[in-house]
Amino acid sequence: MNQKEVSELRRRWRLEKSAVSRIYGCYVNCNKEIVSDLDESLGMMPEEEAEKYLGLLKKSLSGALGKNLIDIIFSTQQVMDSEEHRLLSALRSSALKDGEARAAFYRKVIDSLDMGDSGYLLLLACDAYDVPRRGKDDAVQADGSEEVFTYLLCCVCPVKQSKPELNYFPGDNEFHYTAGQVVSSPELGFLFPAFDDRTANIYNALFYSRKPEELHQEFIHGVFHVEPPMSAAEQREAFQGAVSQALEESYSVEVARSIHEQLTDRMAQHKESGATEPLTVTVENIAAILGDCGVSQERIGAFKANCEEQFGAGSVLSPANLIDAKRFEVKTAEASVSVSPDCSYLVETRIIDGKKYILVPAGEDVEVNGQPVRFVSDP
């Protein structure tokens, strides 16, 4: 899925737009016990409550593709004959009305998911989207429809204990000092099937994680039975390891800066272009940057081999997962220098009288702890 397709579905999660009629789910306590089962009609709820449920589900379609939103790819064998795909398909085909399928899904989630000491609210909803036809100019044609896209949206919301406060109880006409259970924003969730090219793709699901560095891989393995993808943090660590191990003494501040600058430039150009497809780079793209920096072919070959071992042959990577585009930092055991990526060229390294130095031009204004200071040589 691309960002445009995700946004198209996100816009549906309002009372007046979606075809969701019921909300299903269960509240699971920290002992992995189902405390209550949820099967509620949206039409019978107060409007504010219904909007809250839809808002929680909608958040599982938020964040950056490749970072918070990860493609889950089923094998052909799984689609043809597997317990996990049959269960998801049964939930979808029954529009979640199959109670046995729901119970089996709840059990699968509970058995696989690790939420620590937190209880959680598992929510499920099914929407039927009458996909409007788009003209050659990409304008929506309200009088035409390509198909009805029926899909599931699931999210897992931690339930946390709120701080005790004085609360008014109308029945008693009294105030009592009590604490409540509060439902937080979703920690994870998924969409099934994927909405690729604005049509159903039963070979894919779209998985959501609020924290890119914590993908809840145990959930992915338990529910989808696929090899869990690397988190953004794991990808960055693996990439940095592949570069430093391959280049060894050739990995200088200048090489690191060149990689950072060129990837940052690609990200900025991609954003300005308004492209909907996620930006990716290949190992060959990074190898070309290394070549421009004068790195030997032997070292570049070692880098490629390291990347193939870490990411697989022919892998494409998201630059946003490889670098922090908002920060360029040089760090030692005693100090760190952090500059805007636009000014990374100001950072220099030199050896003076046998000692290594990190140099940054001071410019006109220098502050220490928020206070302007002068250099000793200033009059």
Side-chain angles (χ1 to χ4, degrees):
M1 290 177 66
N2 60 39
Q3 192 60 56
K4 196 170 184 179
E5 291 159 348
V6 173
S7 298
E8 185 173 353
L9 293 185
R10 273 179 56 83
R11 288 192 291 270
R12 290 197 47 80
W13 289 83
R14 298 293 303 272
L15 278 176
E16 68 275 12
K17 297 237 177 161
S18 76
V20 176
S21 59
R22 301 190 75 82
I23 297 290
Y24 300 93
C26 61
Y27 172 37
V28 182
N29 66 18
C30 58
N31 296 319
K32 295 195 170 187
E33 301 166 333
I34 295 179
V35 177
S36 64
D37 193 279
L38 185 68
D39 179 356
E40 299 287 342
S41 167
L42 280 182
M44 300 297 290
M45 293 181 188
E47 184 174 331
E48 296 82 1
E49 190 174 316
E51 288 284 10
K52 184 62 178 178
Y53 276 117
L54 293 180
L56 289 170
L57 286 156
K58 178 181 178 179
K59 285 184 179 179
S60 60
L61 291 173
S62 59
L65 288 166
K67 202 165 189 177
N68 305 93
L69 297 170
I70 308 293
D71 282 324
I72 299 296
I73 303 174
F74 295 104
S75 67
T76 301
Q77 181 58 41
Q78 282 182 294
V79 174
M80 291 177 61
D81 183 24
S82 71
E83 177 189 346
E84 58 274 10
H85 204 277
R86 278 197 303 272
L87 178 56
L88 292 172
S89 298
L91 291 169
R92 179 192 179 213
S93 62
S94 70
L96 296 173
K97 295 176 182 176
D98 185 335
E100 290 186 5
R102 291 202 312 273
F105 177 75
Y106 297 162
R107 194 69 261 162
K108 188 178 287 285
V109 170
I110 293 168
D111 289 344
S112 63
L113 183 59
D114 181 9
M115 292 288 284
D117 295 331
S118 175
Y120 58 86
L121 177 63
L122 172 63
L123 293 177
L124 276 171
C126 182
D127 182 30
Y129 178 28
D130 197 5
V131 183
R133 187 183 296 116
R134 289 189 181 273
K136 293 182 179 179
D137 59 355
D138 205 34
V140 173
Q141 299 177 357
D143 59 342
S145 173
E146 297 284 346
E147 65 170 297
V148 176
F149 173 58
T150 302
Y151 63 102
L152 310 175
L153 202 54
C154 170
C155 69
V156 176
C157 305
V159 176
K160 300 178 180 179
Q161 188 81 14
S162 66
K163 293 181 179 179
E165 294 180 348
L166 278 175
N167 291 284
Y168 179 66
F169 290 77
D172 299 334
N173 198 27
E174 294 176 347
F175 288 89
H176 297 285
Y177 187 67
T178 61
Q181 301 284 327
V182 179
V183 178
S184 304
S185 293
E187 190 72 18
L188 65 151
F190 69 87
L191 163 82
F192 175 81
F195 189 51
D196 289 331
D197 296 324
R198 305 183 73 238
T199 191
N201 177 7
I202 61 173
Y203 286 80
N204 280 41
L206 188 66
F207 178 77
Y208 164 78
S209 178
R210 185 176 67 87
K211 300 176 183 176
E213 68 277 9
E214 297 178 16
L215 291 186
H216 283 281
Q217 295 174 336
E218 78 285 357
F219 178 96
I220 294 173
H221 184 269
V223 172
F224 303 115
H225 287 203
V226 300
E227 188 66 28
M230 296 175 72
S231 69
E234 290 171 332
Q235 290 181 47
R236 183 174 300 178
E237 183 179 352
F239 173 72
Q240 292 172 343
V243 176
S244 61
Q245 290 170 18
L247 271 59
E248 296 182 346
E249 70 276 1
S250 301
Y251 192 31
S252 63
V253 171
E254 289 69 29
V255 172
R257 179 172 60 219
S258 185
I259 294 173
H260 195 280
E261 285 179 350
Q262 294 203 39
L263 292 183
T264 301
D265 287 345
R266 285 176 184 247
M267 293 163 67
Q269 292 170 15
H270 181 265
K271 185 176 181 179
E272 290 175 4
S273 72
T276 56
E277 296 294 335
L279 175 64
T280 59
V281 294
T282 65
V283 174
E284 290 294 336
N285 295 146
I286 308 296
I289 297 174
L290 298 178
D292 291 341
C293 294
V295 176
S296 70
Q297 288 302 313
E298 180 184 358
R299 296 296 184 190
I300 292 175
F303 165 72
K304 291 180 181 179
N306 286 350
C307 285
E308 183 172 339
E309 181 181 346
Q310 292 287 348
F311 303 109
S315 294
V316 293
L317 306 170
S318 169
N321 292 349
L322 305 182
I323 63 168
D324 183 348
K326 297 180 180 180
R327 185 179 65 169
F328 184 79
E329 183 180 49
V330 182
K331 192 173 184 179
T332 72
E334 294 78 21
S336 63
V337 177
S338 182
V339 299
S340 167
D342 294 338
C343 299
S344 62
Y345 64 90
L346 294 174
V347 180
E348 298 181 38
T349 56
R350 291 187 191 175
I351 297 178
I352 304 174
D353 296 332
K355 293 184 178 181
K356 299 175 183 178
Y357 286 87
I358 300 170
L359 305 178
V360 180
E364 294 297 325
D365 300 317
V366 178
E367 294 183 354
V368 173
N369 297 329
Q371 298 299 315
V373 296
R374 291 190 174 191
F375 281 73
V376 174
S377 59
D378 287 351

